[in-house]
Amino acid sequence: MSYQLNVGRCEDVLIGVADNSVDSIVTDPPYGLNFMGHKWDYQVPTVDQWAECLRVLKPGGHLLAFGGARTYHRLVVNIEDAGFEIRDQLMWIYGSGFPKSKNLHGENAGMGTALKPAHEPIVMARKPLIGNVETNVEQFGTGALHINISRVPTEETLTGGAGALLSHVRDDKAPDCAEWQPDQLGRWPANIIHDGSEEVIAAFPDAKGQQGDLKTTGKSRPARVCYGDMNAPREHAARVEISRSAARFFYCAKVTKTERDEGMERFVPVTASEMTGGRVEGSAGLNDPRAGAGRTSGARNAHPTVKPCELMRYLCRLITPAGGTVLDPFMGSGSTGKAAILDGFSFIGIELDPDHLTTAAARIAHSVKVIADE
């Protein structure tokens, strides 16, 4: 396990990185929203920048990149035009966002200009394979997702046999003993992530309402969401989810002030106004769709869009082979680096702003100390 941090434009730094040498890319790049007037957020990363990322990534290596709701399409098109295959879209759903709307007055009272932000999309892309998935994994260690270590914990007891792993899809070609293992606990990872807030959980249907007298014979499936063999005898009827549906998905709350500042005890605190440009009517700090993450008093980490470490750890684990190297070409304050180190991966970080790189260095060094003290 090692890490290296680089200051500069990612396409310039990556020139010195060997072809096919990085196992995964996990990053939170500029959203192209002109965030708070910062030049770094004028546009999403270019095709040329993603092409350099593609070059250093191993065949079959995955990319996970956050995007903005309004500019996600530009992010994805550029990634695809660089040569990546678009594999999926993940959603991080949260309840702590607040509307950055210009409210109208007078006869137009009750009208506004924006919705309350409650999600951030994440594109999942993959460098083309060499051969099929199996041969690519055997040769490079990349090409497939790490499902078992990314399973969503559950309080329910899951046992072997049909219906045990609630989100597992059977192909009916292998016997149960080959497909269902008792030690494979937890639900299959989904492309939804949420922050565990009451607001978000309440938005999911309470699956207790799915219980009832299920039809288990014939070919008709009940309209409710069930898992298992619909045609099994009654004593082996399909299992029904008994907890709220949000429990099926990985959850991670937004970053806390404590986490933002870990390892930065010697840094001078920065006020919320200095971080976000203030909340004056008409200001960028109020109206920009990406603002809001840094509204704390006296934070030492001045980066405005810090992602929670646990979320980045989950994303790194999902696409990175054991002992592999994670690249973040738009490092910011280093949350991906912290995550990679804590999960035993090596890390390469690139950041254009020297001040943010200093912040990242302190936060990542703190993670190294945590590992050393364990």
Side-chain angles (χ1 to χ4, degrees):
M1 180 183 68
S2 63
Y3 71 93
Q4 54 179 276
L5 310 181
N6 308 271
V7 64
R9 297 185 63 84
C10 66
E11 63 269 33
D12 296 332
V13 175
L14 288 174
I15 291 175
V17 179
D19 296 358
N20 306 320
S21 60
V22 170
D23 295 280
S24 67
I25 300 174
V26 179
T27 188
D28 182 22
Y31 289 3
L33 296 170
N34 191 18
F35 177 49
M36 290 172 13
H38 290 304
K39 291 184 178 180
W40 55 261
D41 202 45
Y42 278 179
Q43 62 180 12
V44 297
T46 66
V47 173
D48 290 342
Q49 289 174 316
W50 291 124
E52 274 300 294
C53 292
L54 183 78
R55 178 185 63 80
V56 302
L57 192 61
K58 292 179 180 177
H62 282 85
L63 159 72
L64 289 171
F66 287 80
R70 287 198 287 114
T71 55
Y72 178 80
H73 61 294
R74 294 189 178 277
L75 171 76
V76 175
V77 166
N78 284 358
I79 290 173
E80 188 173 46
D81 286 351
F84 282 91
E85 302 169 348
I86 305 303
R87 301 291 298 175
D88 207 336
Q89 179 192 101
L90 288 72
M91 285 286 183
W92 182 34
I93 303 173
Y94 45 79
S96 56
F98 64 92
K100 277 75 82 170
S101 170
K102 178 177 176 56
N103 297 325
L104 279 63
H105 305 286
E107 294 182 357
N108 296 319
M111 302 176 68
T113 59
L115 300 174
K116 176 183 180 295
H119 86 277
E120 289 183 44
I122 307 168
V123 58
M124 175 185 285
R126 187 175 68 182
K127 184 171 179 175
L129 303 166
I130 293 181
N132 58 31
V133 174
E134 287 79 7
T135 57
N136 198 99
V137 171
E138 289 174 3
Q139 183 174 356
F140 299 102
T142 52
L145 303 177
H146 297 270
I147 298 299
N148 274 0
I149 63 174
S150 302
R151 288 182 181 274
V152 180
T154 176
E155 295 179 357
E156 292 182 274
T157 300
L158 305 182
T159 58
L165 302 180
L166 300 185
S167 297
H168 187 77
V169 178
R170 302 189 63 218
D171 61 13
D172 294 324
K173 295 180 181 178
D176 283 350
C177 60
E179 289 200 61
W180 304 97
Q181 301 297 329
D183 60 343
Q184 292 179 331
L185 300 182
R187 294 178 178 84
W188 196 274
N191 57 8
I192 291 179
I193 302 167
H194 69 93
D195 70 348
S197 64
E198 286 296 325
E199 183 174 359
V200 170
I201 292 176
F204 286 81
D206 190 337
K208 291 181 180 179
Q210 297 168 1
Q211 298 183 64
D213 186 18
L214 301 181
K215 181 178 181 179
T216 58
T217 58
K219 296 183 178 180
S220 298
R221 286 176 175 265
R224 292 158 290 193
V225 178
C226 305
Y227 302 86
D229 186 356
M230 297 297 114
N231 299 314
R234 183 65 198 180
E235 61 269 22
H236 301 296
R239 295 188 57 166
V240 181
E241 183 63 64
I242 62 172
S243 61
R244 289 198 171 196
S245 297
R248 299 173 190 164
F249 309 118
F250 180 81
Y251 72 91
C252 180
K254 280 194 169 184
V255 68
T256 64
K257 180 179 182 297
T258 299
E259 183 187 323
R260 291 177 65 97
D261 290 352
E262 280 181 337
M264 301 185 63
E265 291 74 18
R266 293 181 295 175
F267 286 62
V268 177
V270 180
T271 66
S273 178
E274 290 171 316
M275 282 193 287
T276 63
R279 298 186 63 178
V280 179
E281 182 70 25
S283 71
L286 176 66
N287 293 324
D288 195 284
R290 203 181 183 195
R295 296 194 186 282
T296 56
S297 58
R300 290 174 167 82
N301 182 349
H303 198 282
T305 60
V306 180
K307 290 296 186 291
C309 187
E310 285 303 313
L311 174 59
M312 307 313 283
R313 290 182 71 173
Y314 174 76
L315 297 178
C316 287
R317 287 195 301 268
L318 182 64
I319 65 171
T320 314
T325 298
V326 180
L327 167 68
D328 186 348
F330 306 96
M331 180 173 60
S333 64
S335 294
T336 302
K338 281 174 58 71
I341 295 299
L342 290 173
D343 269 55
F345 303 120
S346 293
F347 177 69
I348 299 174
I350 306 171
E351 172 54 38
L352 182 62
D353 188 320
D355 292 336
H356 291 329
L357 185 134
T358 300
T359 297
R363 298 180 73 219
I364 293 171
H366 179 268
S367 294
V368 173
K369 184 177 184 300
V370 168
I371 296 294
D373 290 343
E374 290 181 349

